[in-house]
Amino acid sequence: MFVGIDVGGTNLKAGLVDGEGRLLAAARRPLHFSGAEAFAADLAELALQAVRQGGAAPEDLESVGIGLPGAVDGGEVVYTANIPLKHVPLERLFRQHLDIPVYLGNDADCAAVGEFFCGAGRGCRDFVVVTLGTGIGAGIIINGRLQGGAASSEAGHMAIMQGGELCNCGRRGCWERYASATALIAQTRAAMEAHPESGLRAAAEALGAVDGRTAFQAALAGDETALAVCRQYVEYLAGGTTSLINILRPEAVSIGGGVAAAPEQLLLEPLRRIVEQEAYARHGGRVTRVVRAELGNDAGIIGAAFLEKVL
């Protein structure tokens, strides 16, 4: 058995996972960061809670994997995006409380590992997961091994629009400025302002907020402004997806994150059509499947648990 821990910006989640990738039990708690040593102790305690809830014992465990929002190098956290961890020997600190093998990974990479073994990437050797959230993350597995070094691929920061919008990373025209959930929300708000007569405002009110679902919800009802937002968004998403496919030639690309739950006919079907028209494989060679991620919020836990299999 294995434990996977998913470190989020506000919550910690741990799960007991068997060798087939089944999530047997899960535990969670809010993240209250008060220093690296206390953080490691909280992670170990949460892991043991998941073990107990699954009716297992610590001696049943092969390893613990921890997925973090940042860069890792072996057993060290190089930095994290939302938690003040920098050059912290987390493996050593964790093993002071639970002395079993510990593997650290980037959270986007963990999602890719979970989907690779137990979700949309089952049966593949070359597989990519693109996660659409605040930014764009990408986890890459080639020939069954996780790629990317200390951090996951920063695919969200490849430029798809020279001289385009300024990104937080300092570049202009980055993919995530156009195709992340954050970008889609901004595009939806702009369309609402420009077309107050559209159905976007009613859709936002029904959902309780302008979010990544709003444009797709209004488009389902046939609103032309919303349909235009969705078409433009898919074109942006396709630009980066096609470039990844041309570079990596994977068997499948899985689209995950909240936006991926959008209706198939408005997101994945037009995305596939554009990719088929633009990917180099149209001239012959491996044709990459574009699919929806399957594991949802469990991908990070299952992937962290299975990190030892791909490192």
Side-chain angles (χ1 to χ4, degrees):
M1 293 186 183
F2 309 85
V3 166
I5 302 176
D6 184 7
V7 177
T10 57
N11 289 288
L12 306 174
K13 297 181 291 183
L16 180 67
V17 179
D18 70 10
E20 300 300 315
R22 290 185 289 261
L23 185 60
L24 305 178
R28 71 166 59 212
R29 65 174 57 181
L31 170 63
H32 297 301
F33 187 83
S34 60
E37 294 195 8
F39 177 67
D42 284 347
L43 294 180
E45 185 179 334
L46 190 65
L48 289 171
Q49 184 181 340
V51 170
R52 289 192 296 267
Q53 288 180 193
E59 53 267 28
D60 297 325
L61 294 179
E62 295 285 333
S63 63
V64 172
I66 305 172
L68 299 126
V72 301
D73 185 7
E76 179 184 70
V77 180
V78 179
Y79 72 88
T80 52
N82 302 311
I83 310 167
L85 293 171
K86 189 171 183 180
H87 297 296
V88 170
L90 186 59
E91 177 189 5
R92 179 175 62 78
L93 295 177
F94 184 96
R95 293 188 72 163
Q96 291 175 359
H97 304 277
L98 182 56
D99 191 19
I100 59 175
V102 177
Y103 299 89
L104 308 183
N106 172 270
D107 53 0
D109 285 343
C110 288
V113 174
E115 293 286 346
F116 177 73
F117 283 108
C118 305
R122 285 188 302 268
C124 294
R125 294 293 293 168
D126 304 323
F127 177 65
V128 176
V129 169
V130 173
T131 54
L132 307 174
T134 303
I136 293 181
I140 299 169
I141 295 175
I142 300 297
N143 197 29
R145 310 301 293 180
L146 186 63
Q147 307 297 306
S152 69
S153 163
E154 291 294 346
H157 296 289
M158 63 177 165
I160 65 165
M161 198 80 66
Q162 280 305 120
E165 294 182 21
L166 181 64
C167 181
N168 292 335
C169 76
R171 297 190 74 197
R172 288 190 174 273
C174 287
W175 188 26
E176 70 175 41
R177 291 293 298 168
Y178 296 87
S180 63
T182 305
L184 175 57
I185 291 169
Q187 292 154 18
T188 302
R189 290 186 185 279
M192 288 171 65
E193 292 295 321
H195 301 279
E197 78 286 354
S198 78
L200 286 168
R201 196 168 302 279
E205 289 172 357
L207 292 166
V210 180
D211 60 22
R213 300 170 294 172
T214 305
F216 289 104
Q217 191 83 0
L220 272 179
D223 183 78
E224 287 299 326
T225 299
L227 284 164
V229 171
C230 293
R231 282 194 294 267
Q232 181 65 79
Y233 175 78
V234 171
E235 288 180 10
Y236 290 143
L237 180 58
T241 302
T242 302
S243 292
L244 282 176
I245 289 170
N246 285 345
I247 294 166
L248 299 170
R249 306 298 290 275
E251 294 160 78
V253 170
S254 172
I255 307 296
V259 176
E264 185 104 356
Q265 69 270 29
L266 294 174
L267 182 71
L268 288 185
E269 288 180 6
L271 176 61
R272 290 182 187 118
R273 285 196 294 270
I274 297 172
V275 168
E276 287 169 4
Q277 292 165 5
E278 296 188 356
Y280 192 82
R282 71 186 184 278
H283 302 299
R286 173 183 280 179
V287 175
T288 300
R289 295 180 290 113
V290 178
V291 298
R292 194 191 310 272
E294 296 179 4
L295 299 182
N297 292 330
D298 293 338
I301 292 175
I302 295 170
F306 279 6
L307 272 174
E308 70 162 5
K309 297 177 181 289
V310 294
L311 293 177

